């Protein structure tokens, strides 16, 4: 239905979003059968709706689309006094909460969704935020900028939509059978537009302008009814009131236009997959493998720090272009723990990982921070950081790629312990620590849901480490992990696992 489907799938890799959009039509179809259809739904319909709705909210914000349907469903049941159907709806709501409630609770707690909406908190850090005086003129300027960007994003997304969907959606809604279906689809369209417009202006970090793609999938349902009726008219040509020449020419022209656009869809899809469309998709380039091998070979015993803000430079066409990939897969590919500035859509600001309070101390401050977080190597694509490392005798250049350069770092600081001694082994879902003291502070970020196994002989506590920038003149405290062990357990030389 839209070329942006391939953009979000192949270019940005947002599998949850494209999966949610693809499951939207079938989810709406079963909601219609469940609430608006005159036929009684069955328990099979109930469980199918549970299954497809689960996939439909793979991108959690997709749930916002269904807000009008919730109110319409309640209104329809009350208006028709269909109490048996109401019991089915209540049963679905209860089962939906049972199946999705646990992971939604963890998601909201760990992602700090409400703080993210306020733009003043980040996962993995405490909730302390420095006060900020908001300049009304600056706020107005920001809103105007967001408005202009939202208009441009919506225009681009609409241009990528199948023209048939845009042309036929309004008449298709009026062609739907029944009052409630017409109200449902028209209200969904208006609601999606409002979310895209106002969300883009006031909460740009949510990227709600992308909802044009779910709208295209939504439009498939009523337009399929129009297709059926228009093609049926072609079949009726020569009979009844469709015997005139101009009537047959008109009906055949419509049929050819519709079928032509439909036949173009697989051709456009093949062009997108083969990278012959306006949107170009970059597969993994050799720079990924070369850098991951360098990380594995020269990363050392501590963490590898990416100096400077990094977004999509890895494997990009040019150093300043953003058509490359994230560095996140390098942690899996190399097996090394990485430290970098958080992604742009989380912080909504380009921030250097080294806080300004350390950068203000010049070289001494930079090295103090790198010792604090346990850096045994650094990687950077920024010219200023490359020059910094080349001029300092503590750094040895070990890898030079198209954009990124890697340096091994010599340091006498303990790479894993701020206090105490021991051994740390990084795991896929946490780490394993073998302490030599009954109290250690590990140079890893404290998270509230972390657990120590076995639990009966250790206790986890947050320990203040430093204050970092979060963008837009805001700062946030970062805590390391303090672990208290039972003294008698240390004699057994046990190791403890810390994870979720």
């Amino acid at each position: 239905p839209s070329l942006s489907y391939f953009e979000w799938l192949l270019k940005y890799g947002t599998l949850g979003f494209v999966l949610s959009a693809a499951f939207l039509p079938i989810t709406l179809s079963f909601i219609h059968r469940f609430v608006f259809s005159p036929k009684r739904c069955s328990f099979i319909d109930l469980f199918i709706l549970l299954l497809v709705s689960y996939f439909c909210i793979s991108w959690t914000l997709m749930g916002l689309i269904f807000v009008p349907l919730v109110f319409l469903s309640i209104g329809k049941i009350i208006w028709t006094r269909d109490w048996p159907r109401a019991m089915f709806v209540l049963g679905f709501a209860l089962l939906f909460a049972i199946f999705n409630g646990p992971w939604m609770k963890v998601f909201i707690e760990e992602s700090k969704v409400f703080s993210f909406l306020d733009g003043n908190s980040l996962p993995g850090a405490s909730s302390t935020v420095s006060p900020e005086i908001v300049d009304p003129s600056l706020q107005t300027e920001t809103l105007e900028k967001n408005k202009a960007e939202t208009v441009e994003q919506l225009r681009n997304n609409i241009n990528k939509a199948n023209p048939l969907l845009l042309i036929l959606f309004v008449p298709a809604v009026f062609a739907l059978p029944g009052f409630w279906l017409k109200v449902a689809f028209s209200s969904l369209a208006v609601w999606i537009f409002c979310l895209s417009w106002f969300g883009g202006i006031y909460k740009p970090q949510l990227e709600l302008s992308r909802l044009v793609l779910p709208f295209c999938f939504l439009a498939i349902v009523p337009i399929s009814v129009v297709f059926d009726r228009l093609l049926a008219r072609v079949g009726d040509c020569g009979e009844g009131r469709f015997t005139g020449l101009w009537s047959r020419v008109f009906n055949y022209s419509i049929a050819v236009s519709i079928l032509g656009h439909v036949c173009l869809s697989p051709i456009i899809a093949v062009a997108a997959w083969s990278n012959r469309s306006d949107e170009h998709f970059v597969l993994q380039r050799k720079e990924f493998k070369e850098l991951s091998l360098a990380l594995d070979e020269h990363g050392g015993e501590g963490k590898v720090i990416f100096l400077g803000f990094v977004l999509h430079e890895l494997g990009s066409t040019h150093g300043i272009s953003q058509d490359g990939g994230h560095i996140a897969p390098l942690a899996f590919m190399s097996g090394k723990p990485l430290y970098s500035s958080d992604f742009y859509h989380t912080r909504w600001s380009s921030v250097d990982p080294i806080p300004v309070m350390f950068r203000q101390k010049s070289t001494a401050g930079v090295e103090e921070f790198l010792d604090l977080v346990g850096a045994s190597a650094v990687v950077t694509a920024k010219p200023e950081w490359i020059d910094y490392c080349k001029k300092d005798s503590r750094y040895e250049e070990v890898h030079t790629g198209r954009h990124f350069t890697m340096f091994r770092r010599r340091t006498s600081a303990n790479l894993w312990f701020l206090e105490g001694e021991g051994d740390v082994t990084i795991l896929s879902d946490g780490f394993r620590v073998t302490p030599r003291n009954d109290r250690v502070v590990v140079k890893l970020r404290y998270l509230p849901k972390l657990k120590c196994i076995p639990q009966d002989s250790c206790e986890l506590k947050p320990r203040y480490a430093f204050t970092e920038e979060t963008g837009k003149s805001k700062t946030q405290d970062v805590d390391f992990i303090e672990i208290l062990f039972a003294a008698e357990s240390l004699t057994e030389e046990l190791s403890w696992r810390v994870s979720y």
Side-chain angles (χ1 to χ4, degrees), residues 363-435:
T363 302
V366 171
E367 297 305 316
E368 178 188 353
F369 179 78
L370 294 178
D371 284 340
L372 179 63
V373 296
S376 57
V378 299
V379 179
T380 183
K382 307 298 181 184
E384 60 272 21
W385 284 114
I386 293 176
D387 292 341
Y388 171 87
C389 294
K390 286 185 175 181
K391 293 176 181 178
D392 196 310
S393 60
R394 282 169 287 203
Y395 295 90
E396 177 189 356
E397 186 174 341
V398 293
H399 170 76
T400 302
R402 291 179 64 245
H403 304 309
F404 286 86
T405 304
M406 182 176 178
F407 298 86
R408 185 188 291 120
R409 179 174 180 267
R410 288 186 288 271
T411 178
S412 59
N414 193 314
L415 296 174
W416 287 108
F417 294 94
L418 184 65
E419 293 183 11
E421 294 181 353
D423 297 312
V424 170
T425 304
I426 298 298
L427 307 174
S428 59
D429 59 346
F431 65 95
R432 186 176 296 278
V433 57
T434 305

Side-chain angles (χ1 to χ4, degrees), residues 113-133:
V113 173
F114 300 109
S115 299
F116 172 60
L117 291 175
D118 292 335
N120 61 9
S121 183
L122 294 173
S126 62
S127 58
T128 303
V129 179
S130 61
E132 179 182 23
I133 300 175

Side-chain angles (χ1 to χ4, degrees), residues 181-466:
L181 269 184
K182 292 183 176 67
V183 174
F185 277 93
S186 57
S187 61
L188 281 173
V190 173
W191 174 246
I192 290 174
F193 174 79
C194 291
L195 283 176
S196 302
W197 176 254
F198 293 106
I201 295 175
Y202 295 101
K203 293 296 176 184
Q205 64 266 41
L206 298 180
E207 299 178 333
L208 290 178
S209 60
R210 69 169 82 175
L211 288 178
V212 173
L213 176 60
F215 168 78
C216 293
F217 277 93
L218 165 73
I220 291 175
V221 179
I223 288 176
S224 62
V225 177
V226 173
F227 278 13
D228 180 68
R229 292 190 179 184
L230 290 176
L231 295 177
R233 289 185 61 171
V234 175
D236 292 337
C237 284
E239 300 180 7
R241 59 192 182 93
F242 300 117
T243 56
L245 175 63
W246 291 110
S247 177
R248 282 181 289 176
V249 169
F250 176 74
N251 290 328
Y252 280 122
S253 299
I254 291 178
V256 169
S257 176
I258 291 174
L259 293 176
H261 278 85
V262 172
C263 292
L264 274 176
S265 296
I267 298 175
I268 294 173
V270 169
W273 279 102
S274 59
N275 223 5
R276 296 180 180 178
S277 65
D278 293 336
E279 290 290 343
H280 293 281
F281 314 105
V282 180
L283 300 179
Q284 178 180 307
R285 288 176 171 161
K286 65 177 183 179
E287 187 176 2
F288 275 86
K289 186 174 182 179
E290 290 174 352
L291 187 53
S292 65
L293 291 174
L295 291 171
D296 183 34
E297 183 178 354
H298 305 293
E301 299 299 324
K303 305 182 190 72
V304 179
I305 312 297
F306 278 77
L307 298 177
F309 181 74
V310 181
L311 186 58
H312 291 137
E313 290 88 349
L314 185 58
S316 60
T317 307
H318 306 289
I320 59 174
S321 64
Q322 295 293 330
D323 59 352
H326 283 303
I327 64 170
L330 291 175
F332 172 78
M333 296 169 67
S334 66
K336 293 291 182 180
L338 308 181
Y339 188 106
S340 69
S341 182
D342 210 346
F343 295 136
Y344 183 71
H345 59 265
T346 306
R347 289 184 184 263
W348 208 239
S349 182
S350 107
V351 179
D352 194 287
I354 299 181
V356 66
M357 61 180 293
F358 291 93
R359 297 202 304 272
Q360 287 174 345
K361 301 177 186 178
S362 189
T363 302
V366 171
E367 297 305 316
E368 178 188 353
F369 179 78
L370 294 178
D371 284 340
L372 179 63
V373 296
S376 57
V378 299
V379 179
T380 183
K382 307 298 181 184
E384 60 272 21
W385 284 114
I386 293 176
D387 292 341
Y388 171 87
C389 294
K390 286 185 175 181
K391 293 176 181 178
D392 196 310
S393 60
R394 282 169 287 203
Y395 295 90
E396 177 189 356
E397 186 174 341
V398 293
H399 170 76
T400 302
R402 291 179 64 245
H403 304 309
F404 286 86
T405 304
M406 182 176 178
F407 298 86
R408 185 188 291 120
R409 179 174 180 267
R410 288 186 288 271
T411 178
S412 59
N414 193 314
L415 296 174
W416 287 108
F417 294 94
L418 184 65
E419 293 183 11
E421 294 181 353
D423 297 312
V424 170
T425 304
I426 298 298
L427 307 174
S428 59
D429 59 346
F431 65 95
R432 186 176 296 278
V433 57
T434 305
R436 298 190 185 95
N437 309 90
D438 59 359
R439 184 176 68 87
V440 298
V441 178
V442 182
K443 294 180 178 180
L444 292 170
R445 295 200 177 207
Y446 174 83
L447 297 171
K449 293 293 183 180
L450 285 176
K451 295 180 180 178
C452 189
I453 303 172
Q455 298 183 21
D456 56 352
S457 57
C458 66
E459 177 187 359
L460 302 181
K461 296 172 61 178
R463 173 70 175 273
Y464 172 77
F466 58 91

Side-chain angles (χ1 to χ4, degrees), residues 159-177:
N159 288 338
K160 295 172 185 176
N162 191 316
L164 276 181
L165 301 180
L166 304 177
I167 295 171
L168 296 179
F169 179 74
V170 174
V173 169
F174 285 100
L176 288 172

